[in-house]
Amino acid sequence: MQLQLRSSSSASALFSAVQVKPPSSPPVRVKALFTKNPGSGTLKNSNSNTNPNPNPMASNPRWAQKTVTLPPLRRGCHLITPKIVKEIAQDLSEFKCGLAHLFLLHTSASLTINENYDSDVRDDTETFLNKIVPEGRSASWKHTLEGPDDMPAHIKSSMFGCTLTIPITDGQLNMGTWQELHGCMLLLTSLLTSADCVLHNCLI
């Protein structure tokens, strides 16, 4: 069977009669861990079938702050979650739902979150940083007061940054199964540095 379009006007009429509807996307559903009790300022656990005790933190903001001193570490990326959690565990346990803000007090180090299982991830991260930000006499850096790795360390620190924000759920840092805090020390000499940890509860 052959179909023939005899004129441009008939072709226009044919195509104008066909309406193509874009495919409809299913609605995105978000499951809340905590919801607000009607008529009150308290939070309840969405996964619980019982009425939990009222959470006074919902109406009374709570804050906690602590400075954690990290031990001297050689250049490279190091897992620092156990050290951080150990130092803030008591305060952390008092937060049902909140946020943890970490701020690293150093210009030659940085914070990031990455895989905790394979140590090759940390080695490869350092290799990448050293490749993308070269050091030595061949590099045209002016700021070399502390050595040829001085300015490269500052640049690497800015690339990853010195702050992180992590959700708190049921008194624990709510990270993925394979996620952990990495402290990246960026100078050839061992660094002794500190991190400020600020915790506060979520208001809903």
Short mmCIF file of all heavy atoms in Angstrom, two decimals, residues 72-131:
data_model
loop_
_atom_site.label_atom_id
_atom_site.label_comp_id
_atom_site.label_asym_id
_atom_site.label_seq_id
_atom_site.Cartn_x
_atom_site.Cartn_y
_atom_site.Cartn_z
N PRO A 72 49.82 14.33 64.33
CA PRO A 72 50.65 14.62 63.14
C PRO A 72 50.53 13.50 62.11
O PRO A 72 50.63 12.33 62.43
CB PRO A 72 52.08 14.69 63.71
CG PRO A 72 51.89 14.99 65.17
CD PRO A 72 50.63 14.30 65.57
N LEU A 73 50.28 13.89 60.87
CA LEU A 73 50.11 12.93 59.79
C LEU A 73 50.98 13.32 58.61
O LEU A 73 51.14 14.49 58.31
CB LEU A 73 48.64 12.87 59.35
CG LEU A 73 47.61 12.42 60.41
CD1 LEU A 73 46.19 12.69 59.91
CD2 LEU A 73 47.79 10.96 60.73
N ARG A 74 51.55 12.32 57.94
CA ARG A 74 52.37 12.59 56.76
C ARG A 74 51.49 13.05 55.61
O ARG A 74 50.26 12.97 55.66
CB ARG A 74 53.12 11.32 56.36
CG ARG A 74 52.20 10.18 55.97
CD ARG A 74 52.96 8.98 55.45
NE ARG A 74 52.08 7.87 55.13
CZ ARG A 74 51.38 7.77 54.00
NH1 ARG A 74 51.45 8.72 53.10
NH2 ARG A 74 50.59 6.73 53.78
N ARG A 75 52.13 13.52 54.55
CA ARG A 75 51.36 13.98 53.39
C ARG A 75 50.57 12.82 52.80
O ARG A 75 51.05 11.70 52.66
CB ARG A 75 52.28 14.58 52.33
CG ARG A 75 51.47 15.15 51.16
CD ARG A 75 52.28 16.06 50.29
NE ARG A 75 53.14 15.34 49.36
CZ ARG A 75 53.80 15.93 48.37
NH1 ARG A 75 53.71 17.24 48.20
NH2 ARG A 75 54.56 15.23 47.58
N GLY A 76 49.32 13.11 52.46
CA GLY A 76 48.45 12.09 51.90
C GLY A 76 47.04 12.22 52.45
O GLY A 76 46.74 13.14 53.22
N CYS A 77 46.17 11.31 52.06
CA CYS A 77 44.79 11.30 52.51
C CYS A 77 44.61 10.23 53.58
O CYS A 77 45.00 9.07 53.38
CB CYS A 77 43.84 11.04 51.34
SG CYS A 77 43.92 12.31 50.05
N HIS A 78 44.02 10.61 54.70
CA HIS A 78 43.91 9.72 55.85
C HIS A 78 42.46 9.64 56.32
O HIS A 78 41.71 10.63 56.26
CB HIS A 78 44.78 10.23 57.00
CG HIS A 78 46.22 10.43 56.62
ND1 HIS A 78 47.18 9.44 56.73
CD2 HIS A 78 46.87 11.52 56.10
CE1 HIS A 78 48.35 9.91 56.32
NE2 HIS A 78 48.18 11.16 55.93
N LEU A 79 42.06 8.45 56.80
CA LEU A 79 40.74 8.27 57.37
C LEU A 79 40.73 8.86 58.78
O LEU A 79 41.49 8.41 59.64
CB LEU A 79 40.36 6.79 57.42
CG LEU A 79 40.34 6.04 56.08
CD1 LEU A 79 39.95 4.59 56.30
CD2 LEU A 79 39.38 6.70 55.11
N ILE A 80 39.87 9.84 59.02
CA ILE A 80 39.85 10.51 60.32
C ILE A 80 38.50 10.39 61.02
O ILE A 80 38.30 10.98 62.08
CB ILE A 80 40.23 12.00 60.18
CG1 ILE A 80 39.24 12.73 59.25
CG2 ILE A 80 41.66 12.14 59.66
CD1 ILE A 80 39.46 14.23 59.20
N THR A 81 37.57 9.64 60.44
CA THR A 81 36.25 9.50 61.05
C THR A 81 36.32 8.97 62.48
O THR A 81 35.68 9.54 63.38
CB THR A 81 35.35 8.58 60.20
OG1 THR A 81 35.35 9.04 58.85
CG2 THR A 81 33.92 8.59 60.73
N PRO A 82 37.07 7.88 62.76
CA PRO A 82 37.10 7.36 64.14
C PRO A 82 37.57 8.39 65.16
O PRO A 82 37.01 8.48 66.25
CB PRO A 82 38.08 6.17 64.05
CG PRO A 82 38.03 5.75 62.62
CD PRO A 82 37.85 7.02 61.84
N LYS A 83 38.59 9.17 64.80
CA LYS A 83 39.11 10.19 65.72
C LYS A 83 38.06 11.27 65.98
O LYS A 83 37.83 11.66 67.14
CB LYS A 83 40.38 10.81 65.12
CG LYS A 83 40.93 12.00 65.89
CD LYS A 83 41.45 11.62 67.26
CE LYS A 83 42.11 12.80 67.95
NZ LYS A 83 42.53 12.46 69.33
N ILE A 84 37.41 11.75 64.92
CA ILE A 84 36.41 12.80 65.06
C ILE A 84 35.23 12.30 65.89
O ILE A 84 34.78 12.95 66.85
CB ILE A 84 35.92 13.29 63.69
CG1 ILE A 84 37.07 13.92 62.89
CG2 ILE A 84 34.77 14.27 63.85
CD1 ILE A 84 37.60 15.20 63.45
N VAL A 85 34.70 11.13 65.54
CA VAL A 85 33.52 10.59 66.23
C VAL A 85 33.83 10.30 67.70
O VAL A 85 32.98 10.54 68.57
CB VAL A 85 33.02 9.32 65.51
CG1 VAL A 85 31.93 8.63 66.33
CG2 VAL A 85 32.48 9.67 64.12
N LYS A 86 35.02 9.81 67.99
CA LYS A 86 35.38 9.52 69.37
C LYS A 86 35.36 10.79 70.22
O LYS A 86 34.91 10.77 71.37
CB LYS A 86 36.78 8.89 69.41
CG LYS A 86 37.25 8.55 70.83
CD LYS A 86 38.64 7.94 70.80
CE LYS A 86 39.13 7.65 72.22
NZ LYS A 86 40.51 7.06 72.21
N GLU A 87 35.82 11.89 69.66
CA GLU A 87 35.92 13.13 70.42
C GLU A 87 34.56 13.80 70.61
O GLU A 87 34.34 14.49 71.61
CB GLU A 87 36.86 14.11 69.70
CG GLU A 87 38.31 13.65 69.65
CD GLU A 87 38.98 13.64 71.01
OE1 GLU A 87 38.57 14.43 71.88
OE2 GLU A 87 39.92 12.84 71.20
N ILE A 88 33.63 13.60 69.67
CA ILE A 88 32.33 14.28 69.77
C ILE A 88 31.20 13.33 70.14
O ILE A 88 30.03 13.72 70.12
CB ILE A 88 31.99 15.00 68.45
CG1 ILE A 88 31.78 13.99 67.32
CG2 ILE A 88 33.07 16.01 68.09
CD1 ILE A 88 31.27 14.62 66.03
N ALA A 89 31.53 12.08 70.49
CA ALA A 89 30.51 11.05 70.69
C ALA A 89 29.47 11.44 71.74
O ALA A 89 28.26 11.20 71.54
CB ALA A 89 31.18 9.73 71.08
N GLN A 90 29.89 12.01 72.84
CA GLN A 90 28.95 12.34 73.91
C GLN A 90 27.93 13.37 73.45
O GLN A 90 26.72 13.22 73.66
CB GLN A 90 29.70 12.84 75.14
CG GLN A 90 28.78 13.13 76.33
CD GLN A 90 29.56 13.49 77.58
OE1 GLN A 90 30.78 13.40 77.62
NE2 GLN A 90 28.85 13.91 78.62
N ASP A 91 28.40 14.44 72.82
CA ASP A 91 27.48 15.46 72.31
C ASP A 91 26.63 14.90 71.16
O ASP A 91 25.43 15.18 71.07
CB ASP A 91 28.25 16.68 71.83
CG ASP A 91 28.83 17.49 72.98
OD1 ASP A 91 28.16 17.61 74.01
OD2 ASP A 91 29.96 17.98 72.84
N LEU A 92 27.26 14.12 70.29
CA LEU A 92 26.57 13.59 69.12
C LEU A 92 25.38 12.72 69.52
O LEU A 92 24.33 12.75 68.87
CB LEU A 92 27.56 12.79 68.27
CG LEU A 92 27.11 12.33 66.89
CD1 LEU A 92 26.80 13.51 66.00
CD2 LEU A 92 28.18 11.44 66.25
N SER A 93 25.53 11.96 70.58
CA SER A 93 24.47 11.03 71.00
C SER A 93 23.20 11.75 71.44
O SER A 93 22.13 11.12 71.53
CB SER A 93 24.99 10.16 72.15
OG SER A 93 25.28 10.95 73.30
N GLU A 94 23.27 13.04 71.73
CA GLU A 94 22.11 13.78 72.22
C GLU A 94 21.28 14.40 71.08
O GLU A 94 20.28 15.05 71.34
CB GLU A 94 22.57 14.88 73.18
CG GLU A 94 23.29 14.34 74.41
CD GLU A 94 23.76 15.45 75.34
OE1 GLU A 94 23.35 16.61 75.11
OE2 GLU A 94 24.52 15.16 76.26
N PHE A 95 21.71 14.18 69.84
CA PHE A 95 20.99 14.76 68.70
C PHE A 95 20.23 13.67 67.95
O PHE A 95 20.83 12.72 67.44
CB PHE A 95 21.97 15.46 67.75
CG PHE A 95 22.53 16.73 68.30
CD1 PHE A 95 23.64 16.72 69.15
CD2 PHE A 95 21.96 17.95 67.98
CE1 PHE A 95 24.15 17.88 69.67
CE2 PHE A 95 22.47 19.13 68.49
CZ PHE A 95 23.57 19.10 69.34
N LYS A 96 18.90 13.80 67.93
CA LYS A 96 18.06 12.85 67.20
C LYS A 96 18.09 13.14 65.70
O LYS A 96 18.18 12.25 64.87
CB LYS A 96 16.63 12.96 67.73
CG LYS A 96 15.67 11.91 67.19
CD LYS A 96 15.91 10.57 67.83
CE LYS A 96 14.85 9.56 67.40
NZ LYS A 96 15.13 8.23 67.96
N CYS A 97 18.00 14.42 65.39
CA CYS A 97 18.00 14.86 63.99
C CYS A 97 18.75 16.19 63.94
O CYS A 97 18.37 17.13 64.64
CB CYS A 97 16.58 15.02 63.48
SG CYS A 97 16.44 15.73 61.83
N GLY A 98 19.81 16.27 63.17
CA GLY A 98 20.59 17.50 63.17
C GLY A 98 21.63 17.52 62.07
O GLY A 98 21.61 16.72 61.14
N LEU A 99 22.55 18.46 62.19
CA LEU A 99 23.64 18.62 61.23
C LEU A 99 24.95 18.79 61.98
O LEU A 99 24.99 19.44 63.03
CB LEU A 99 23.40 19.85 60.34
CG LEU A 99 22.21 19.78 59.38
CD1 LEU A 99 21.99 21.15 58.74
CD2 LEU A 99 22.43 18.72 58.32
N ALA A 100 25.99 18.21 61.44
CA ALA A 100 27.35 18.37 61.98
C ALA A 100 28.17 19.17 60.97
O ALA A 100 28.29 18.77 59.81
CB ALA A 100 27.99 17.01 62.24
N HIS A 101 28.71 20.30 61.41
CA HIS A 101 29.55 21.13 60.57
C HIS A 101 31.01 20.96 61.00
O HIS A 101 31.33 21.13 62.18
CB HIS A 101 29.15 22.61 60.68
CG HIS A 101 27.72 22.87 60.38
ND1 HIS A 101 27.21 22.93 59.10
CD2 HIS A 101 26.66 23.09 61.20
CE1 HIS A 101 25.91 23.16 59.16
NE2 HIS A 101 25.56 23.27 60.42
N LEU A 102 31.88 20.62 60.08
CA LEU A 102 33.29 20.46 60.37
C LEU A 102 34.08 21.54 59.64
O LEU A 102 33.86 21.78 58.44
CB LEU A 102 33.80 19.09 59.93
CG LEU A 102 33.52 17.91 60.87
CD1 LEU A 102 32.04 17.57 60.87
CD2 LEU A 102 34.33 16.69 60.47
N PHE A 103 34.99 22.18 60.36
CA PHE A 103 35.81 23.25 59.79
C PHE A 103 37.26 22.98 60.18
O PHE A 103 37.61 22.91 61.36
CB PHE A 103 35.37 24.61 60.32
CG PHE A 103 36.18 25.76 59.77
CD1 PHE A 103 35.89 26.28 58.52
CD2 PHE A 103 37.21 26.31 60.50
CE1 PHE A 103 36.65 27.33 58.00
CE2 PHE A 103 37.97 27.35 60.00
CZ PHE A 103 37.68 27.87 58.74
N LEU A 104 38.12 22.80 59.18
CA LEU A 104 39.53 22.48 59.40
C LEU A 104 40.34 23.76 59.52
O LEU A 104 40.30 24.62 58.64
CB LEU A 104 40.06 21.63 58.24
CG LEU A 104 41.41 20.94 58.44
CD1 LEU A 104 41.34 19.93 59.58
CD2 LEU A 104 41.83 20.24 57.15
N LEU A 105 41.08 23.88 60.63
CA LEU A 105 41.83 25.11 60.91
C LEU A 105 43.24 25.01 60.35
O LEU A 105 44.23 25.05 61.08
CB LEU A 105 41.86 25.34 62.43
CG LEU A 105 40.49 25.44 63.11
CD1 LEU A 105 40.63 25.48 64.62
CD2 LEU A 105 39.76 26.68 62.62
N HIS A 106 43.35 24.91 59.04
CA HIS A 106 44.68 24.82 58.42
C HIS A 106 44.57 25.20 56.95
O HIS A 106 43.58 24.89 56.30
CB HIS A 106 45.24 23.40 58.55
CG HIS A 106 46.74 23.35 58.58
ND1 HIS A 106 47.52 23.68 57.50
CD2 HIS A 106 47.60 23.01 59.57
CE1 HIS A 106 48.79 23.53 57.82
NE2 HIS A 106 48.87 23.14 59.07
N THR A 107 45.59 25.88 56.44
CA THR A 107 45.59 26.31 55.04
C THR A 107 46.34 25.35 54.12
O THR A 107 46.40 25.58 52.91
CB THR A 107 46.20 27.71 54.90
OG1 THR A 107 47.56 27.68 55.34
CG2 THR A 107 45.42 28.73 55.70
N SER A 108 46.93 24.30 54.70
CA SER A 108 47.66 23.32 53.89
C SER A 108 47.10 21.92 54.08
O SER A 108 47.82 20.93 54.01
CB SER A 108 49.15 23.34 54.24
OG SER A 108 49.72 24.59 53.95
N ALA A 109 45.81 21.85 54.37
CA ALA A 109 45.11 20.58 54.53
C ALA A 109 43.67 20.77 54.08
O ALA A 109 43.22 21.90 53.89
CB ALA A 109 45.16 20.11 55.99
N SER A 110 42.95 19.69 53.89
CA SER A 110 41.58 19.81 53.42
C SER A 110 40.76 18.62 53.91
O SER A 110 41.29 17.62 54.39
CB SER A 110 41.53 19.89 51.89
OG SER A 110 42.08 18.73 51.31
N LEU A 111 39.44 18.76 53.77
CA LEU A 111 38.49 17.72 54.16
C LEU A 111 37.69 17.27 52.94
O LEU A 111 37.32 18.09 52.10
CB LEU A 111 37.52 18.24 55.22
CG LEU A 111 38.06 18.51 56.62
CD1 LEU A 111 37.00 19.21 57.45
CD2 LEU A 111 38.47 17.20 57.30
N THR A 112 37.40 15.98 52.88
CA THR A 112 36.53 15.47 51.84
C THR A 112 35.92 14.16 52.34
O THR A 112 36.37 13.60 53.33
CB THR A 112 37.28 15.26 50.51
OG1 THR A 112 36.34 14.90 49.49
CG2 THR A 112 38.32 14.15 50.64
N ILE A 113 34.88 13.70 51.66
CA ILE A 113 34.25 12.42 51.97
C ILE A 113 34.44 11.51 50.77
O ILE A 113 34.15 11.89 49.64
CB ILE A 113 32.76 12.58 52.28
CG1 ILE A 113 32.56 13.40 53.55
CG2 ILE A 113 32.08 11.22 52.43
CD1 ILE A 113 31.10 13.65 53.90
N ASN A 114 34.95 10.30 51.03
CA ASN A 114 35.16 9.37 49.93
C ASN A 114 35.16 7.95 50.47
O ASN A 114 34.84 7.72 51.63
CB ASN A 114 36.48 9.69 49.20
CG ASN A 114 36.38 9.46 47.70
OD1 ASN A 114 35.93 8.41 47.25
ND2 ASN A 114 36.79 10.45 46.92
N GLU A 115 35.54 7.00 49.61
CA GLU A 115 35.48 5.58 49.96
C GLU A 115 36.41 5.23 51.11
O GLU A 115 37.54 5.74 51.20
CB GLU A 115 35.81 4.72 48.73
CG GLU A 115 35.73 3.22 48.99
CD GLU A 115 36.03 2.39 47.76
OE1 GLU A 115 35.53 2.73 46.67
OE2 GLU A 115 36.78 1.41 47.88
N ASN A 116 35.94 4.32 51.98
CA ASN A 116 36.74 3.93 53.14
C ASN A 116 37.29 2.51 53.03
O ASN A 116 38.04 2.07 53.91
CB ASN A 116 35.90 4.04 54.42
CG ASN A 116 34.67 3.14 54.39
OD1 ASN A 116 34.49 2.34 53.48
ND2 ASN A 116 33.82 3.27 55.39
N TYR A 117 36.91 1.77 51.99
CA TYR A 117 37.27 0.34 51.94
C TYR A 117 38.65 0.09 51.36
O TYR A 117 39.49 -0.57 51.96
CB TYR A 117 36.21 -0.42 51.13
CG TYR A 117 36.51 -1.91 51.01
CD1 TYR A 117 36.31 -2.76 52.09
CD2 TYR A 117 37.00 -2.44 49.82
CE1 TYR A 117 36.59 -4.12 51.98
CE2 TYR A 117 37.28 -3.79 49.70
CZ TYR A 117 37.07 -4.63 50.78
OH TYR A 117 37.36 -5.97 50.68
N ASP A 118 38.90 0.63 50.17
CA ASP A 118 40.15 0.36 49.46
C ASP A 118 41.11 1.52 49.65
O ASP A 118 40.82 2.65 49.25
CB ASP A 118 39.84 0.16 47.97
CG ASP A 118 41.05 -0.34 47.19
OD1 ASP A 118 42.15 -0.40 47.77
OD2 ASP A 118 40.90 -0.64 45.99
N SER A 119 42.26 1.26 50.23
CA SER A 119 43.25 2.31 50.48
C SER A 119 43.81 2.88 49.18
O SER A 119 44.38 3.98 49.17
CB SER A 119 44.40 1.78 51.34
OG SER A 119 45.05 0.70 50.69
N ASP A 120 43.65 2.16 48.06
CA ASP A 120 44.11 2.68 46.77
C ASP A 120 43.40 3.97 46.40
O ASP A 120 43.94 4.81 45.67
CB ASP A 120 43.90 1.65 45.66
CG ASP A 120 44.88 0.49 45.74
OD1 ASP A 120 45.89 0.62 46.46
OD2 ASP A 120 44.62 -0.56 45.10
N VAL A 121 42.17 4.15 46.89
CA VAL A 121 41.43 5.37 46.62
C VAL A 121 42.18 6.58 47.17
O VAL A 121 42.32 7.61 46.51
CB VAL A 121 40.01 5.30 47.21
CG1 VAL A 121 39.30 6.65 47.09
CG2 VAL A 121 39.20 4.22 46.52
N ARG A 122 42.69 6.44 48.39
CA ARG A 122 43.43 7.55 49.00
C ARG A 122 44.76 7.79 48.29
O ARG A 122 45.17 8.93 48.09
CB ARG A 122 43.63 7.26 50.49
CG ARG A 122 42.31 7.09 51.23
CD ARG A 122 42.49 7.03 52.73
NE ARG A 122 43.21 5.85 53.20
CZ ARG A 122 42.64 4.66 53.38
NH1 ARG A 122 41.36 4.49 53.11
NH2 ARG A 122 43.35 3.64 53.82
N ASP A 123 45.43 6.72 47.91
CA ASP A 123 46.70 6.87 47.18
C ASP A 123 46.47 7.51 45.82
O ASP A 123 47.24 8.40 45.39
CB ASP A 123 47.37 5.50 47.00
CG ASP A 123 47.83 4.89 48.32
OD1 ASP A 123 48.00 5.65 49.29
OD2 ASP A 123 48.01 3.66 48.38
N ASP A 124 45.42 7.09 45.13
CA ASP A 124 45.13 7.65 43.80
C ASP A 124 44.72 9.11 43.91
O ASP A 124 45.00 9.92 43.01
CB ASP A 124 44.03 6.85 43.11
CG ASP A 124 44.51 5.48 42.65
OD1 ASP A 124 45.73 5.27 42.57
OD2 ASP A 124 43.65 4.61 42.37
N THR A 125 44.03 9.46 44.98
CA THR A 125 43.64 10.87 45.18
C THR A 125 44.88 11.74 45.33
O THR A 125 44.97 12.82 44.74
CB THR A 125 42.75 11.01 46.42
OG1 THR A 125 41.56 10.22 46.24
CG2 THR A 125 42.35 12.46 46.64
N GLU A 126 45.85 11.27 46.12
CA GLU A 126 47.08 12.04 46.28
C GLU A 126 47.84 12.14 44.95
O GLU A 126 48.38 13.20 44.60
CB GLU A 126 47.98 11.42 47.34
CG GLU A 126 49.23 12.24 47.59
CD GLU A 126 50.21 11.56 48.54
OE1 GLU A 126 49.96 10.41 48.92
OE2 GLU A 126 51.23 12.20 48.87
N THR A 127 47.88 11.04 44.19
CA THR A 127 48.54 11.05 42.88
C THR A 127 47.90 12.08 41.96
O THR A 127 48.58 12.84 41.26
CB THR A 127 48.47 9.66 42.23
OG1 THR A 127 49.14 8.71 43.07
CG2 THR A 127 49.12 9.67 40.86
N PHE A 128 46.57 12.14 41.96
CA PHE A 128 45.85 13.11 41.13
C PHE A 128 46.20 14.54 41.54
O PHE A 128 46.48 15.39 40.68
CB PHE A 128 44.34 12.87 41.27
CG PHE A 128 43.50 14.02 40.75
CD1 PHE A 128 43.31 14.20 39.39
CD2 PHE A 128 42.92 14.91 41.63
CE1 PHE A 128 42.54 15.26 38.92
CE2 PHE A 128 42.16 15.97 41.17
CZ PHE A 128 41.97 16.14 39.81
N LEU A 129 46.19 14.80 42.85
CA LEU A 129 46.48 16.16 43.32
C LEU A 129 47.89 16.59 42.94
O LEU A 129 48.12 17.72 42.51
CB LEU A 129 46.29 16.24 44.83
CG LEU A 129 44.83 16.14 45.33
CD1 LEU A 129 44.82 16.06 46.85
CD2 LEU A 129 44.02 17.33 44.85
N ASN A 130 48.85 15.67 43.10
CA ASN A 130 50.24 16.00 42.78
C ASN A 130 50.46 16.21 41.28
O ASN A 130 51.34 16.97 40.87
CB ASN A 130 51.17 14.90 43.29
CG ASN A 130 51.22 14.84 44.80
OD1 ASN A 130 50.92 15.82 45.49
ND2 ASN A 130 51.57 13.68 45.33
N LYS A 131 49.64 15.52 40.49
CA LYS A 131 49.77 15.65 39.03
C LYS A 131 49.16 16.95 38.53
O LYS A 131 49.72 17.62 37.66
CB LYS A 131 49.10 14.45 38.35
CG LYS A 131 49.26 14.45 36.83
CD LYS A 131 48.66 13.19 36.22
CE LYS A 131 48.85 13.18 34.70
NZ LYS A 131 48.28 11.94 34.09
#
